[in-house]
Amino acid sequence: TTALVVAVDGPSGSGKSSVSRAAARALGVAFLDTGAMYRALTWAALRAGVDLADADAVARHARTVALVMGTDPAAPTVAAVVDGVETDLTEAVRSPEVTANVSALAAVPAVRSDLVLRQRALIESACLAPAPGREPGVVAEGRDITTVVAPRADVRILLTADESVRLARRAHQDLGAADAAALEATRRGIVERDRVDSRTTSFTAAADGVVTVDSTHLDFDGTVAAVLEVVAQAT
Ligand code: C5P
């Protein structure tokens, strides 16, 4: 069999992470959360006291941090090796402090080109040397996978949903409620972050050849099924 590369981009709260994970599981391939890589470098920069407004310092520091990505879709992990010590960051990269600072790091071009190379290497290794029991291939998700990291992927999907739906989903996920206060608290992490991110990456309109899956009116299982349908059509 040949390897299958599925690229998924989308805004915050589109469900791209959980949906991509489930799709990877169903396909038996690896899962790569590229956002976790930007987050892990942000965690390390914050811990090292790097000024995130200083692009040169951020890029210089990022190059010193090795990332260890666990690409099992059943239990994806991210770890960083700092000063020779590997630290699991799977939980830590979700912290509000990392979320509030990641866009600044992701805006540094030298950091992006560095991570794009690492992401391509991870995709290649999932294709050429899949983990035992896994099929060759990967579902990779982020903001620039369909356009920059893997523009020649077998399947390229933009996962979208109306902003109000994305807000409500994230509020439920993070705060267990979607009342006015929860929506307002969530707005910053979604709308504001996407606004800043959209200066760096283009993830709101489908590039040429990219299939849009709109999950506004779909539940989780329906969205996974729609993604798998696009994969089936394309392969
Ligand atoms: O997807 P997630 O919310 O974990 O991504 C965290 C941040 O990483 C995004 O807000 C964005 O700044 C950055 N990112 C990126 N390019 C990607 C994936 C994530 O710039 N491919």
Side-chain angles (χ1 to χ4, degrees):
T1 53
T2 54
L4 172 70
V5 177
V6 180
V8 181
D9 288 326
S12 312
S14 61
K16 73 186 143 57
S17 200
S18 48
V19 167
S20 298
R21 245 179 94 171
R25 270 188 104 150
L27 295 164
V29 300
F31 165 69
L32 180 63
D33 174 355
T34 62
M37 300 173 77
Y38 287 91
R39 287 171 179 273
L41 292 185
T42 302
W43 179 92
L46 289 169
R47 206 187 72 148
V50 174
D51 175 6
L52 284 163
D54 182 344
D56 289 339
V58 171
R60 216 176 315 117
H61 179 259
R63 280 193 294 271
T64 69
V65 181
L67 297 177
V68 184
M69 302 304 295
T71 59
D72 178 354
T77 57
V78 51
V81 184
V82 182
D83 298 332
V85 182
E86 182 172 327
T87 310
D88 184 278
L89 298 176
T90 307
E91 302 294 327
V93 296
R94 300 286 140 206
S95 78
E97 200 196 359
V98 168
T99 301
N101 286 285
V102 64
S103 297
L105 174 131
V108 178
V111 171
R112 301 201 67 80
S113 50
D114 175 1
L115 278 189
V116 166
L117 294 181
R118 301 195 212 189
Q119 289 156 7
R120 287 184 185 147
L122 287 163
I123 290 170
E124 183 164 300
S125 110
C127 291
L128 298 178
R134 240 182 267 158
E135 299 292 327
V138 59
V139 178
E141 61 95 351
R143 299 282 195 289
D144 61 348
I145 313 304
T146 64
T147 52
V148 177
V149 176
R152 303 184 51 167
D154 304 289
V155 185
R156 293 150 71 217
I157 294 172
L158 182 73
L159 192 58
T160 60
D162 288 354
E163 184 179 291
S164 59
V165 169
R166 291 189 283 112
L167 267 179
R169 281 184 192 152
R170 185 54 62 88
H172 262 294
Q173 187 184 316
D174 290 358
L175 306 167
D179 52 37
L183 290 178
E184 198 41 50
T186 308
R187 185 172 296 276
R188 205 159 167 263
I190 296 229
V191 180
E192 179 60 14
R193 186 152 59 94
D194 280 351
R195 198 180 59 75
V196 177
D197 284 343
S198 66
R199 295 185 204 138
T200 314
T201 49
S202 163
F203 51 84
T204 47
D208 229 23
V210 175
V211 178
T212 299
V213 172
D214 185 345
S215 74
T216 303
H217 302 292
L218 297 174
D219 64 8
F220 179 76
D221 290 344
T223 310
V224 175
V227 165
L228 291 174
E229 179 61 27
V230 174
V231 174
Q233 293 285 328
T235 51

